[in-house]
Amino acid sequence: MQFYPRKSPRRILDATVNGGRFWRGSKRTVVGIDIESAHKPGIVADNTRMPFADAFFDVVVYDPPHIPNQGKDKQKDFNSRFGLGVKSTKERGYAFTHTFPPFVAEAYRVLKDEGLLFAKIADYVHDHCYQWAHAELMQAGRDAGFVPCDCIIKIRKGPIIDPKWKVAHHSRRRHCYWLIFRKSEACE
Ligand SMILES: C[S@@+](CC[C@H](N)C(=O)[O-])C[C@H]1O[C@@H](n2cnc3c(N)ncnc32)[C@H](O)[C@@H]1O
């Protein structure tokens, strides 16, 4: 947020705010929306149909649910941490990638020219298939008119391992990505 904007952003939208963990200890003023009222967001709203005027925000932040439907595991608390109140269907491959195009189109609409979209996204393995969420999001961003500018790899302390997984066929994901998109012709 200090590095990419050309001037200090005034209007910031967190489009998947959940518990607002990104903003703990931050002095920034952020509008937070979430589809689940249980998270007590500033505004309960669907980020594929946002209640904001065109070209209103300087920055949009996005951290969509990224783990396919899980069983209940009270220890891990996946439901509140990863927004797994939202489920995906078998027909969708239990993935959330179908939500990327309508979201990025809305993000593009509510951003000012030269505005930035910061998206935290994780690939994962589900049903024995590698799910290329970051590649799907990058393509959705391009299709919506954004220019993808950067990809930051964020390392986590430990991979998510379900105790019922006995044999690994893919490496355990120890990282996720921050993709940075600009509503512009160019990144620089
Ligand atoms: C991974 S969590 C976000 C965590 C958040 N970044 C934090 O730091 O606390 C994903 C959130 O997206 C929300 N969500 C899912 N679909 C949504 C939609 N269409 N519109 C708005 N929020 C949505 C979920 O309810 C969930 O709270």
Side-chain angles (χ1 to χ4, degrees):
M1 200 75 83
Q2 286 172 344
F3 185 75
Y4 289 98
R6 296 195 172 120
K7 54 185 181 190
S8 186
R10 278 198 316 124
R11 291 188 178 143
I12 301 169
L13 171 68
D14 187 332
T16 48
V17 71
N18 191 279
R21 295 170 188 81
F22 290 160
W23 313 103
R24 282 184 191 158
S26 165
K27 293 201 173 77
R28 296 183 192 278
T29 304
V30 175
V31 176
I33 68 170
D34 202 290
I35 203 164
E36 293 279 347
S37 59
H39 301 313
K40 301 192 173 60
I43 302 169
V44 177
D46 182 348
N47 60 31
T48 64
R49 288 182 302 155
M50 298 199 237
F52 306 113
D54 297 357
F56 190 73
F57 291 101
D58 301 294
V59 165
V60 174
V61 178
Y62 182 55
D63 176 19
H66 55 266
I67 298 187
N69 309 353
Q70 303 283 318
K72 284 197 174 131
D73 183 334
K74 286 193 181 117
Q75 268 188 322
K76 294 204 186 90
D77 188 22
F78 279 150
N79 279 353
S80 55
R81 280 173 56 214
F82 299 114
L84 295 179
V86 181
K87 297 281 182 193
S88 183
T89 61
K90 187 178 176 194
E91 294 68 41
R92 304 268 193 207
Y94 303 111
F96 295 104
T97 48
H98 62 285
T99 63
F100 297 166
F103 164 72
V104 287
E106 271 296 83
Y108 192 88
R109 182 184 69 77
V110 301
L111 275 170
K112 295 177 188 167
D113 285 344
E114 302 301 323
L116 290 161
L117 167 62
F118 293 94
K120 180 171 172 252
I121 195 87
D123 296 341
Y124 53 86
V125 175
H126 187 64
D127 203 13
H128 305 278
C129 290
Y130 191 93
Q131 309 284 328
W132 293 88
H134 87 279
E136 304 249 8
L137 182 62
M138 194 159 63
Q139 190 56 47
R142 277 206 180 102
D143 292 346
F146 282 105
V147 52
C149 293
D150 214 337
C151 175
I152 297 168
I153 298 172
K154 178 174 180 264
I155 308 292
R156 59 183 307 132
K157 284 196 197 107
I160 296 171
I161 297 180
D162 190 304
K164 71 174 186 259
W165 300 337
K166 302 293 180 213
V167 182
H169 299 283
H170 301 259
S171 64
R172 308 294 196 200
R173 301 263 73 74
R174 269 189 188 272
H175 64 278
C176 65
Y177 303 97
W178 274 100
L179 301 183
I180 292 95
F181 299 88
R182 192 181 289 277
K183 180 176 176 177
S184 178
E185 296 289 311
C187 291
E188 296 170 18

